[in-house]
Amino acid sequence: MICLTLSQQTLEEDAELVRSNRAYIDMAELRVDYLGEEEQKKASLFPSMVDIPVILTLRRKEDGGLCTLTERHRRNILLDALDGDFAYVDIEEDVKRAEVEAKARKRGVRIIRSFHDFNGIPEDIFSRIYKLAERGDVAKAAVTPHSVADLLTLFRISDELKDVDKIIIGMGEWGIPSRILYRRCGSMLTFASSGDAIAPGQITAKELKTLYRADKVSGKTAIYGIIGNPVYHSSSPQIHNPGFQAINYDAIYLPFLVDNIRSFFALAEYLKMRGFSVTIPFKAQVLMFLGRISREVKQIGSCNTVVRVPGMWKGFNTDYYGFLSPILRDIESGRIKTALVIGAGGASKAIVWALRNRGVKVTILNRTLSRAADIAALNLCEFDTLENARKYEGTVDLVVQTTSVGLYPDFDLNPIEGFRFTGREIVYDIIYKPKMTKLLSEAAAAGCTLHYGEEMLLEQGKLQFEMFTGYHYPRGIGE
Ligand code: NAP
């Protein structure tokens, strides 16, 4: 179940949020601590204002809520609210509230026994959850993972405590996969926001329902993802999830923030993942965990796609093909014979190799000359420093920008500031946020033909999709 957390100041505003998110949610949690004082007194009316089951919660400040009332006052508000037809009431682990409990049980309202840890994951988490659920209540643990290894602990709970009704939430940025794959954590629900998350790491109900189809995930769902650090800016979930839906493949693709690549492989094995994309800074680090690599990975030394094959992981590089695809015709027709590649990082390695493989003459320009020299030596091309960029004005058919200069939020930067385009060049910036970088706008002003990073992203993603699923990427999505 996807449960919308309601954090408005009036009951009517909360009910309106339920109505506007109704297509994406199965339940709602009324956060009474967010209501104005007068509204709190009327909380019992709320379940009759909406057409879904509602959890009653009056969260204390120390548990991440807004309530600073005395315990006695808090108890009275809860008791009054329980006159309404709530489906659940949340009572914190350490609170002994015989009256609230008795009234809830008498009225058939199920109790959620919760604990929160904003600093980490308590060592005794398994026994605590077990104890919370002892009296037939739902155990809720909202804890804060700080690493991939912590995340794995949360997924293990589902196997260790199979028969316990529970809600497991990994808060903060490390916990996001536990919110999306809540059913693989054995959680009966996941909390979602309507836009402004009120708990760290909360995702919107719309995303959970329509992008991830989180409520449809079962033990059979194939899990894919992208690993990186940072990773949540990635658009790859928007490429793969709609593709899976279009071919009716029971699969999900989600971002994993990774600190330690070895721990991630342990998680990937545990979740029986079928494959994943790799982004900065793991494209080279991932190699030592692969049983097999493709010819391109061997040549480029960088892997952006990992697929499970019997007994091992196999690495591919789809960046080179994704890059090439939009300009392939121009290379084949002879329109592109020479290229200036700005940058000598991981992406540049794949790009230089792709161009050289197609017979294009390449010059690499980089801030750090030695890195340009290394790639040049491997691919038999020329190299120079960035400061000398203007020496190459008017000499090439293609200019490719592969550095991170100009990337969001540094919209106003251009790594070859002052470079004059003749208007005859094809100019390709592989940055995809923003689509129109400063370098591209200058090229556009000179009349050049442009290619955007998002074209490369989509093309490399389509090829990954084929490797993941064995099917062509469906037409008409993301184009
Ligand atoms: P990387 O390995 O970290 O390489 C970064 C490159 O940027 C290096 O050449 C580095 O020069 C240069 N650089 C960084 N800061 C600079 C500065 N202030 N001035 C001059 N040069 C600077 O990164 P990567 O994996 O190659 O990725 C680079 C960019 O490509 C990123 O923006 C990434 O998002 C984008 N990308 C896009 C796609 C796509 O599908 N569209 C795919 C892959 C990557 P030094 O060697 O001197 O440090």
Side-chain angles (χ1 to χ4, degrees):
M1 290 185 284
I2 297 177
C3 180
L4 182 67
T5 305
L6 302 170
S7 55
Q8 302 301 305
Q9 291 188 349
T10 69
L11 294 171
E12 189 41 51
E13 285 168 331
D14 278 336
E16 181 47 39
L17 267 191
V18 170
R19 288 190 281 274
S20 57
N21 283 276
R22 188 63 189 90
Y24 319 124
I25 59 175
D26 312 289
M27 287 186 77
E29 179 191 39
L30 180 67
R31 286 290 298 268
V32 178
D33 46 312
Y34 277 79
L35 292 172
E37 204 178 318
E38 285 309 305
E39 294 286 303
Q40 290 188 348
K41 293 180 189 155
K42 297 186 277 178
S44 65
L45 300 175
F46 191 71
S48 62
M49 296 166 69
V50 294
D51 63 346
I52 46 173
V54 184
I55 302 172
L56 170 64
T57 301
L58 179 49
R59 184 74 69 227
R60 297 176 300 194
K61 195 151 191 188
E62 61 263 39
D63 295 314
L66 297 185
C67 180
T68 51
L69 300 171
T70 62
E71 268 310 280
R72 191 189 162 88
H73 196 164
R74 194 165 82 105
R75 181 197 63 199
N76 289 340
I77 295 176
L78 282 173
L79 281 172
D80 286 348
L82 279 170
D83 286 335
D85 289 328
F86 286 95
Y88 298 86
V89 59
D90 185 307
I91 304 178
E92 294 81 1
E93 179 190 37
D94 60 312
V95 175
K96 305 264 177 293
R97 266 179 285 161
E99 283 168 278
V100 176
E101 253 189 71
K103 184 162 181 182
R105 293 198 198 284
K106 192 166 152 219
R107 291 193 42 80
V109 180
R110 207 155 169 217
I111 294 170
I112 297 174
R113 275 280 180 189
S114 63
F115 77 83
H116 295 78
D117 189 329
F118 291 95
N119 296 316
I121 300 182
E123 278 182 13
D124 57 350
I125 186 167
F126 289 10
S127 57
R128 263 171 98 173
I129 291 173
Y130 195 73
K131 213 157 165 242
L132 289 178
E134 245 172 16
R135 297 177 61 194
D137 299 338
V138 178
K140 175 181 164 190
V143 295
T144 311
H146 290 296
S147 63
V148 172
D150 281 353
L151 191 59
L152 180 53
T153 303
L154 296 187
F155 282 109
R156 285 213 167 105
I157 293 174
S158 66
D159 285 342
E160 301 283 333
L161 300 169
K162 265 202 179 74
D163 303 322
V164 173
D165 283 347
K166 57 193 170 304
I167 302 167
I168 309 295
I169 300 152
M171 294 186 289
E173 58 176 3
W174 291 97
I176 285 175
S178 72
R179 291 182 181 273
I180 300 173
L181 292 175
Y182 70 100
R183 298 190 64 180
R184 292 297 280 265
C185 285
S187 273
M188 66 179 231
L189 61 84
T190 189
F191 290 98
S193 76
S194 55
D196 302 324
I198 68 157
Q202 245 183 19
I203 305 166
T204 66
K206 185 176 181 185
E207 264 185 306
L208 283 169
K209 181 79 177 181
T210 59
L211 177 64
Y212 294 111
R213 295 183 297 168
D215 55 331
K216 298 284 187 298
V217 169
S218 72
K220 289 189 196 140
T221 304
I223 301 176
Y224 297 88
I226 174 161
I227 65 167
N229 193 341
V231 74
Y232 293 122
H233 65 284
S234 167
S235 320
S236 296
Q238 279 83 1
I239 295 176
H240 292 287
N241 287 308
F244 295 155
Q245 288 185 42
I247 62 165
N248 287 323
Y249 180 34
D250 180 9
I252 183 170
Y253 181 103
L254 67 151
F256 289 90
L257 184 64
V258 168
D259 54 340
N260 177 304
I261 191 89
R262 185 179 295 278
S263 304
F264 176 75
F265 272 91
L267 179 66
E269 297 279 349
Y270 188 81
L271 292 175
K272 297 188 171 59
M273 287 181 72
R274 306 274 183 89
F276 52 91
S277 317
V278 184
T279 185
I280 296 173
F282 299 115
K283 286 183 178 181
Q285 284 182 43
V286 82
L287 297 184
M288 72 176 99
F289 296 91
L290 306 176
R292 284 164 68 190
I293 52 173
S294 67
R295 188 173 72 95
E296 295 80 25
V297 172
K298 192 166 181 209
Q299 180 69 31
I300 302 164
S302 152
C303 162
N304 78 330
T305 308
V306 176
V307 177
R308 188 75 196 176
V309 294
M312 64 179 77
W313 298 99
K314 181 169 181 188
F316 300 88
N317 190 309
T318 64
D319 277 342
Y320 97 94
Y321 174 82
F323 162 75
L324 214 47
S325 181
I327 54 168
L328 198 52
R329 245 193 246 157
D330 285 322
I331 294 177
E332 284 171 353
S333 70
R335 159 93 171 77
I336 296 176
K337 290 198 184 95
T338 52
L340 195 60
V341 175
I342 319 294
S348 169
K349 275 188 199 166
I351 286 168
V352 170
W353 186 73
L355 291 169
R356 292 295 295 132
N357 231 357
R358 296 281 165 165
V360 177
K361 190 169 172 289
V362 174
T363 303
I364 307 166
L365 304 184
N366 196 44
R367 178 180 62 176
T368 311
L369 194 62
S370 59
R371 296 182 79 192
D374 289 347
I375 302 180
L378 281 177
N379 294 282
L380 304 176
C381 44
E382 305 295 321
F383 62 95
D384 206 338
T385 59
L386 265 187
E387 294 93 74
N388 288 337
R390 293 205 56 192
K391 246 171 67 184
Y392 300 89
E393 283 173 358
T395 65
V396 291
D397 306 318
L398 172 72
V399 175
V400 189
Q401 196 305 107
T402 77
T403 75
S404 40
V405 181
L407 185 67
Y408 172 88
D410 296 322
F411 301 113
D412 55 347
L413 296 183
N414 172 358
I416 47 167
E417 195 65 59
F419 186 95
R420 286 211 198 105
F421 295 99
T422 62
R424 290 188 302 276
E425 299 91 345
I426 294 174
V427 182
Y428 194 159
D429 195 331
I430 70 162
I431 285 178
Y432 54 87
K433 266 185 195 158
K435 176 177 177 176
M436 192 60 137
T437 57
K438 179 145 191 268
L439 177 121
L440 282 182
S441 1
E442 286 173 16
C448 298
T449 304
L450 307 187
H451 284 290
Y452 304 96
E454 64 180 28
E455 295 173 68
M456 171 171 169
L457 184 75
L458 184 62
E459 289 305 324
Q460 65 79 28
K462 284 180 180 175
L463 192 61
Q464 263 180 358
F465 186 87
E466 282 186 40
M467 288 168 172
F468 289 156
T469 65
Y471 287 90
H472 288 305
Y473 192 74
R475 280 168 180 270
I477 305 178
E479 281 161 11

